[in-house]
Amino acid sequence: MARIPLSPPRTLFFRVIEWYSKRAYGKVLDPALALGHNARVLRADLRFERAVATWNRLDRDLKALAVMASAVSIGCGWCLDFGYWESTRHGMDERKLRDVPVWRDSDVYTPLERDVLEYAEAMTASPPTVGDELAERLRRELGEAAFVELTAMVAVENLRSRMNAALGLTSQGFRDHCELQPR
C-alpha cells in the first residue's frame, strides 16, 4: 500500500501530466501520482527521464536486463511490473525477463547478458561490489560509451526502485499477473 495518498493536488500542470500518462500508458503512473505532491520534484523527474530516454549507446535489451536486475535486487514490485510490460512491448524475449530473478540458474542468457546482470546486481549492492575483472570485460565487450551508459542506467534504476519501494508503490497491473517478484 502506498505510503502517500495517490491523489495529488489537481493543478493545471498535474492535469497535463495525467493526460499525457493516460495517452502514453493507458493510465496515470503511480510514481507520478506520488511525486505530484511536490511539483518541483515531479518536474525535475520528468526532465531527467526525458533525458535518460535519449541515451542510445547501449543495446535496448541489455539495458532492460540491467534495469530489471536492479529492480529485483531492491524489491520494487512497481518497477518489475512496468519494466516487464514496457520491455515486452518493445519486443524483448519474455523468457529472459521472467528469468531475471533466477538468472544464474537459467540457460536463456548469453555470456554478455550474464555479465550485465551480474554487474547490475553488484552495483546495486550496498556497498557496491563491482570487481575490476567484470568491469573490464564489460568495457571491452561493450565499448566505453555503452559501458558508461550501462553504469548510469543501473544508477538511474536504483533511484527509481528505491524511491518507489520507499513510497510503498507496488504492481499497478500493467500485466494481469506479474510473474517477477522482488527477492
Side-chain angles (χ1 to χ4, degrees):
M1 180 161 162
R3 294 186 177 107
I4 187 166
L6 298 179
S7 53
R10 295 199 33 80
T11 63
L12 176 59
F13 170 65
F14 193 78
R15 289 194 308 266
V16 170
I17 298 304
E18 282 181 314
W19 170 83
Y20 174 79
S21 188
K22 286 177 184 174
R23 186 170 165 250
Y25 308 108
K27 59 181 87 178
V28 181
L29 303 180
D30 284 353
L33 293 169
L35 297 182
H37 291 281
N38 186 321
R40 286 184 178 185
V41 171
L42 179 57
R43 276 190 187 95
D45 184 67
L46 293 171
R47 281 192 304 272
F48 180 66
E49 289 291 349
R50 283 182 56 203
V52 168
T54 67
W55 300 349
N56 63 1
R57 300 303 293 270
L58 181 63
D59 173 80
R60 180 188 300 239
D61 287 354
L62 293 177
K63 193 179 300 191
L65 290 174
V67 164
M68 296 297 281
S70 295
V72 166
S73 293
I74 291 167
C76 180
W78 192 92
C79 301
L80 293 172
D81 177 44
F82 184 76
Y84 187 98
W85 173 79
E86 184 176 48
S87 295
T88 56
R89 195 170 64 127
H90 292 292
M92 185 159 181
D93 182 345
E94 290 182 39
R95 292 172 306 154
K96 289 186 178 187
L97 293 166
R98 276 195 309 265
D99 280 3
V100 168
V102 294
W103 68 267
R104 283 181 177 80
D105 300 321
S106 175
D107 61 359
V108 299
Y109 301 109
T110 66
L112 176 58
E113 290 168 336
R114 289 180 174 287
D115 281 349
V116 165
L117 290 161
E118 182 180 347
Y119 188 74
E121 280 187 1
M123 264 191 74
T124 302
S126 292
T129 59
V130 175
D132 292 339
E133 185 179 309
L134 174 60
E136 180 57 23
R137 256 193 336 266
L138 282 165
R139 188 188 65 77
R140 267 195 327 267
E141 184 71 26
L142 297 172
E144 291 175 351
F147 177 66
V148 168
E149 188 170 316
L150 169 63
T151 303
M153 279 310 305
V154 174
V156 166
E157 187 55 34
N158 269 259
L159 169 69
R160 292 171 181 153
S161 289
R162 291 178 189 282
M163 187 163 40
N164 291 341
L167 290 171
L169 304 180
T170 59
S171 173
Q172 195 172 343
F174 281 95
R175 294 197 51 210
D176 291 335
H177 177 265
C178 185
E179 297 171 19
L180 297 177
Q181 299 300 319
R183 297 196 251 183

